Amino acid sequence: MFTREKTKPVRIGKLTLGAGNPVRVQSMVQTKTTDVEATVRQIHELEEAGCEIIRVTAPDMESAKALGEIKKQINIPLVVDIHFQYLFALEAIKQGVDKVRINPGNIGGKDRVEEVVRACMKKNIPIRIGVNMGSLEKDVLAKYGKFGIARVMLESATRHIKILEKLRFHDVVVSMKGSDVTITKEAYRLFAKRFNYPLHIGITEAGTVWSGSIKSAVGIGSILAEGIGDTIRVSISGDPVEQVKVGWEILKSLKLRQKGVEIIACPTCGRTEIDLIEIANKVEKMLEKVDAPLSVAVMGCVVNGPGEASFADIGLCGGKNQAAIFKKGKVVAVTKDEEILPVFINEIKKTLIEKGFKQEIKNIQKFV
Amino acid sequence: MFTREKTKPVRIGKLTLGAGNPVRVQSMVQTKTTDVEATVRQIHELEEAGCEIIRVTAPDMESAKALGEIKKQINIPLVVDIHFQYLFALEAIKQGVDKVRINPGNIGGKDRVEEVVRACMKKNIPIRIGVNMGSLEKDVLAKYGKFGIARVMLESATRHIKILEKLRFHDVVVSMKGSDVTITKEAYRLFAKRFNYPLHIGITEAGTVWSGSIKSAVGIGSILAEGIGDTIRVSISGDPVEQVKVGWEILKSLKLRQKGVEIIACPTCGRTEIDLIEIANKVEKMLEKVDAPLSVAVMGCVVNGPGEASFADIGLCGGKNQAAIFKKGKVVAVTKDEEILPVFINEIKKTLIEKGFKQEIKNIQKFV
């Protein structure tokens, strides 16, 4: 199995995907590509949220022509999404995009593919082949039937790859997305057994922000947990900033990347004597903009509290109207009532200094 | 590996866990157990949300004595959570609980364990052994060190199991929870390779509602995706109703259970010509209380739309100010502007009738 350490490195602008490089979070803008101002504004918002690669669509020539201007104004690699029209791809490449997402089998004949491949080679930019459960090739589907969808996806990917490999083009990233988690996972597994191209992971059409976040976390998370996946995109119907935030949270859950503070909080039960949920939410909000490898535990009781808090850099463990503050398992302060939160935040500040992240203290937000 | 079809069946009240039975969603109340009225009220709310097994804590004798009254007023199996105190366990069993969560190695000596086991045997109720990464046994931890936590958890579980097996008690469910997804997953895998007891899956202290939902989805989801897990509990710091909703959403993502309508919605991009996010959110809200095995797609464009909509029972695919409605891939209506939503809902009603779920039409909520 070509797990993420064993995939081949593929360069996208200033980033390298695959070969054990960090799993990158990407997203796609929702604006019209021809509206350069709105598109750049949304990309800047996404960069701010932690988006590392951005994709825009070019459904017409005017959009393709706008890409150069967009590229100039942004800081992260720009990927163009093209369906069927090789001329838009050629224009996008001319405009300086960092990657082209196009399925070579769908752009009509060898000459056209060759032209696109030559343009990519000249500029050293990769192609992403995007196989999608939602638009499978009818002849392959007929071969395996609807219970063999993962195999259909693999064969479809293989077909596109072969076209590029014949032209000695190996600068390839592949995605095998579907809206069904189990089938999608199986498709990625089959792929990783056969090819070492880096994989772009996603669950398509996952749903609205709430249900789509959970479905994406289950799907993308369980694929990543197997060691498969070099970049991810969360496809939920909502603000793309949410897609980026969910993407990071998935990577953080698996400790594949670190971003911001990790909050460990207990779900409370009949043993809880303080308003733990309120404290946890406040602490999370206050530390939202802090970017340091810090784990903070907010625990309700003595049964699991000190144990979990000993794993965390700093923890609070509630008792009756009072709380003990732990660092790496040792009590450093006992506090009560309204003083709990300010004392805890103060100890968090000290911990940031100890860890060499003094500059992050200014990012602690005011008590809300 | 003892995947969920191969675990032994264990009866909890009217439900059977393990042996391929449906993966059950459980939760824990946050009220004081001694406040019977508040506890029963919360359990009823949780039942309404789909909670199938409920756990309450008994940190004192008064709580244990309240369990009989609680049990009388609820409709789902009642589990008691006990730490160290075998007398509370005996009282809880007398009060008629359906399962006891207690770690036999922690209740002080063979006589006490025997007494609890005999009481359970007499009433035919199982014991859940709950190993928690947050409260590991010091001697086992010393043996494997902090890089062998999953092995520590396995050995700790084995120790508790052996105590019960010596007494010929096999009516056992086990959990191996931790706040670290990767370690927790490894612990469950190690366990499933050795024992066939049904497993209760969870990520402890996952965090606040937002981050904790994602972390739980990644953790619980990726363990379930391997075929491990007979019941789940989502531990997030917030309303326990959220825990139940997230639990169901995880199971639905993996098609392990069905509840309510599945909404497939695309994330929109520069190709989208209608306000898809608004339509998707409205449709989700309107169908929230409908319980039928129905998949509804809301798609923004023609590239992936019709393909995905052909997998769904019914789908809407947006164009410029208009939309086509598909059923199993075939267009059944074309509609535009303000008529899109009412026409779509009307087609959903017809689909419910066709599928034999006419009685669910009344649960479609008014346009909001």
Side-chain angles (χ1 to χ4, degrees):
Chain A
M1 179 102 92
F2 294 103
T3 50
R4 71 178 65 88
E5 297 73 25
K6 296 171 195 157
T7 52
K8 74 189 292 287
V10 169
R11 201 148 179 91
I12 299 165
K14 61 186 175 182
L15 298 178
T16 303
L17 282 192
N21 279 287
V23 179
R24 300 294 177 180
V25 175
Q26 57 175 286
S27 188
M28 192 167 182
V29 291
Q30 291 171 332
T31 55
K32 295 279 165 225
T33 309
T34 47
D35 186 344
V36 173
E37 201 191 315
T39 302
V40 168
R41 198 186 315 124
Q42 190 166 57
I43 295 175
H44 287 164
E45 276 171 34
L46 290 165
E47 285 176 354
E48 171 79 10
C51 182
E52 301 177 291
I53 298 171
I54 190 70
R55 180 157 50 113
V56 298
T57 182
D60 47 46
M61 190 51 94
E62 210 190 333
S63 296
K65 283 187 192 297
L67 296 168
E69 194 48 44
I70 293 168
K71 168 84 186 154
K72 251 186 257 168
Q73 300 183 43
I74 64 171
N75 308 298
I76 54 177
L78 181 66
V79 183
V80 65
D81 198 71
I82 287 169
H83 292 269
F84 316 119
Q85 301 288 343
Y86 85 112
L87 287 173
F88 305 167
L90 292 175
E91 180 62 30
I93 296 163
K94 199 172 121 192
Q95 293 287 333
V97 296
D98 300 295
K99 183 168 81 168
V100 180
R101 188 270 196 195
I102 193 166
N103 288 352
N106 301 343
I107 61 176
K110 204 169 157 255
D111 292 357
R112 292 179 175 186
V113 176
E114 267 187 48
E115 216 176 322
V116 171
V117 163
R118 248 184 289 128
C120 285
M121 277 179 168
K122 211 170 135 190
K123 295 248 193 164
N124 269 319
I125 64 170
I127 290 175
R128 169 160 70 93
I129 293 167
V131 174
N132 194 311
M133 201 180 123
S135 43
L136 296 169
E137 289 160 298
K138 289 204 173 62
D139 59 328
V140 195
L141 187 57
K143 187 170 155 192
Y144 293 99
K146 64 177 182 174
F147 298 107
I149 302 292
R151 299 218 153 256
V152 176
M153 291 168 78
L154 176 67
E155 187 153 325
S156 182
T158 305
R159 185 181 282 190
H160 295 300
I161 288 170
K162 292 286 174 227
I163 294 171
L164 298 180
E165 287 183 344
K166 258 195 186 158
L167 297 166
R168 298 203 178 123
F169 187 83
H170 302 273
D171 215 6
V172 173
V173 177
V174 176
S175 65
M176 313 271 281
K177 300 185 195 176
S179 61
D180 181 292
V181 166
T182 314
I183 293 171
T184 306
K185 191 179 169 191
E186 181 60 15
Y188 278 107
R189 280 169 109 159
L190 290 173
F191 187 92
K193 278 181 194 162
R194 187 182 292 181
F195 297 104
N196 73 343
Y197 293 113
L199 283 166
H200 165 125
I201 309 289
I203 299 297
T204 49
E205 294 84 29
T208 56
V209 170
W210 182 78
S211 61
S213 295
I214 294 168
K215 191 173 180 181
S216 295
V218 171
I220 296 173
S222 65
I223 294 166
L224 289 171
E226 294 211 8
I228 298 172
D230 304 278
T231 179
I232 66 170
R233 190 257 171 135
V234 174
S235 302
I236 46 180
S237 307
D239 187 339
V241 165
E242 288 298 318
Q243 304 183 6
V244 171
K245 287 171 68 183
V246 172
W248 272 101
E249 209 58 33
I250 293 170
L251 294 178
K252 284 165 66 182
S253 294
L254 289 161
K255 296 214 189 323
L256 286 169
R257 298 286 300 274
Q258 184 272 322
K259 186 176 191 286
V261 171
E262 182 190 20
I263 306 285
I264 292 159
C266 91
T268 85
C269 68
R271 291 189 297 265
T272 314
E273 306 267 10
I274 57 167
D275 191 351
L276 183 106
I277 292 173
E278 201 193 324
I279 295 175
N281 281 325
K282 280 184 179 167
V283 169
E284 183 172 66
K285 191 80 205 146
M286 292 173 82
L287 301 180
E288 197 183 49
K289 307 261 178 203
V290 173
D291 193 12
L294 186 76
S295 57
V296 177
V298 183
M299 312 294 292
C301 83
V302 293
V303 174
N304 298 315
E308 290 290 341
S310 84
F311 277 85
D313 292 308
I314 181 160
L316 176 146
C317 171
K320 193 155 192 164
N321 299 322
Q322 62 168 29
I325 295 167
F326 293 85
K327 277 189 187 178
K328 294 280 175 195
K330 276 189 191 153
V331 178
V332 292
V334 174
T335 166
K336 55 183 224 172
D337 303 324
E338 321 60 68
E339 287 183 8
I340 294 174
L341 196 57
V343 170
F344 191 41
I345 293 290
N346 203 40
E347 290 298 330
I348 288 171
K349 286 181 185 171
K350 286 191 208 163
T351 312
L352 281 171
I353 295 171
E354 286 157 22
K355 291 188 126 243
F357 288 87
K358 192 179 171 183
Q359 77 283 4
E360 289 295 326
I361 289 178
K362 68 173 191 303
N363 295 329
I364 296 178
Q365 288 174 84
K366 285 263 167 298
F367 183 85
V368 277
Chain B
M1 179 102 93
F2 294 103
T3 50
R4 70 179 66 89
E5 295 73 25
K6 296 171 194 157
T7 52
K8 74 189 291 287
V10 169
R11 201 150 180 90
I12 299 163
K14 61 186 175 181
L15 297 178
T16 304
L17 281 191
N21 279 288
V23 179
R24 300 294 176 180
V25 175
Q26 56 176 288
S27 188
M28 192 167 183
V29 291
Q30 292 171 332
T31 54
K32 297 277 166 227
T33 309
T34 46
D35 187 344
V36 173
E37 200 190 318
T39 302
V40 168
R41 198 186 315 123
Q42 191 165 57
I43 296 174
H44 286 164
E45 276 170 34
L46 290 165
E47 286 176 354
E48 172 79 9
C51 182
E52 300 177 291
I53 298 171
I54 189 70
R55 181 158 49 112
V56 298
T57 183
D60 48 46
M61 191 51 93
E62 209 190 334
S63 297
K65 283 188 191 297
L67 295 169
E69 193 49 42
I70 293 168
K71 168 85 185 154
K72 250 186 258 167
Q73 299 183 44
I74 65 171
N75 308 298
I76 53 177
L78 180 67
V79 183
V80 66
D81 199 72
I82 286 169
H83 293 269
F84 316 120
Q85 302 288 341
Y86 84 112
L87 287 174
F88 304 167
L90 293 175
E91 180 61 31
I93 295 163
K94 201 172 120 193
Q95 293 287 332
V97 297
D98 300 296
K99 182 167 82 169
V100 180
R101 188 270 196 196
I102 195 166
N103 287 352
N106 301 344
I107 60 176
K110 205 169 157 258
D111 292 356
R112 292 178 176 188
V113 177
E114 268 188 48
E115 215 175 323
V116 171
V117 164
R118 246 183 291 127
C120 285
M121 278 178 166
K122 212 171 135 190
K123 293 249 192 165
N124 268 320
I125 65 170
I127 289 175
R128 169 159 70 94
I129 294 169
V131 173
N132 194 312
M133 201 180 124
S135 44
L136 296 169
E137 289 160 298
K138 289 204 175 60
D139 59 329
V140 195
L141 188 57
K143 187 169 156 194
Y144 293 99
K146 64 176 182 173
F147 298 106
I149 302 292
R151 299 217 154 260
V152 176
M153 291 168 78
L154 177 66
E155 186 151 326
S156 182
T158 305
R159 185 181 282 190
H160 294 300
I161 287 171
K162 293 283 174 232
I163 294 171
L164 297 182
E165 286 183 344
K166 258 194 186 159
L167 297 166
R168 299 204 177 125
F169 187 83
H170 302 274
D171 214 6
V172 173
V173 176
V174 176
S175 64
M176 313 271 280
K177 299 186 195 177
S179 61
D180 182 292
V181 166
T182 314
I183 294 171
T184 305
K185 192 181 168 188
E186 182 58 17
Y188 278 107
R189 279 170 110 159
L190 291 172
F191 187 91
K193 279 180 192 162
R194 188 181 292 180
F195 297 104
N196 72 344
Y197 293 112
L199 283 166
H200 165 126
I201 309 290
I203 299 298
T204 49
E205 293 84 27
T208 56
V209 170
W210 183 77
S211 61
S213 295
I214 294 169
K215 191 173 182 181
S216 296
V218 171
I220 296 173
S222 64
I223 294 164
L224 289 172
E226 294 211 8
I228 299 171
D230 305 278
T231 178
I232 66 171
R233 191 255 170 137
V234 174
S235 302
I236 47 180
S237 307
D239 186 338
V241 165
E242 288 298 318
Q243 305 182 5
V244 172
K245 286 171 67 181
V246 172
W248 272 101
E249 208 59 32
I250 294 170
L251 295 178
K252 282 165 68 181
S253 294
L254 290 161
K255 296 213 188 326
L256 286 169
R257 299 285 301 273
Q258 184 272 322
K259 185 177 191 288
V261 171
E262 182 189 21
I263 306 286
I264 293 159
C266 92
T268 86
C269 69
R271 290 190 297 265
T272 314
E273 307 267 10
I274 56 165
D275 191 351
L276 183 105
I277 293 173
E278 201 194 322
I279 295 174
N281 282 324
K282 279 184 180 168
V283 169
E284 183 171 67
K285 191 80 205 142
M286 293 172 82
L287 301 181
E288 200 183 49
K289 308 261 178 206
V290 173
D291 193 13
L294 186 76
S295 57
V296 177
V298 184
M299 312 295 291
C301 83
V302 293
V303 174
N304 297 315
E308 290 290 343
S310 85
F311 278 85
D313 291 308
I314 180 160
L316 176 146
C317 171
K320 193 156 191 163
N321 299 320
Q322 62 168 29
I325 295 168
F326 293 86
K327 277 190 188 175
K328 294 281 177 194
K330 277 189 190 153
V331 178
V332 292
V334 175
T335 166
K336 56 184 223 169
D337 304 322
E338 321 59 69
E339 289 185 3
I340 293 174
L341 196 59
V343 170
F344 192 41
I345 293 292
N346 202 41
E347 290 298 329
I348 289 171
K349 286 181 185 171
K350 287 190 208 164
T351 312
L352 282 170
I353 294 172
E354 284 157 23
K355 290 187 126 242
F357 287 87
K358 191 180 173 182
Q359 77 283 5
E360 289 296 326
I361 289 178
K362 67 174 189 304
N363 295 329
I364 297 178
Q365 289 175 84
K366 282 263 167 297
F367 182 85
V368 277

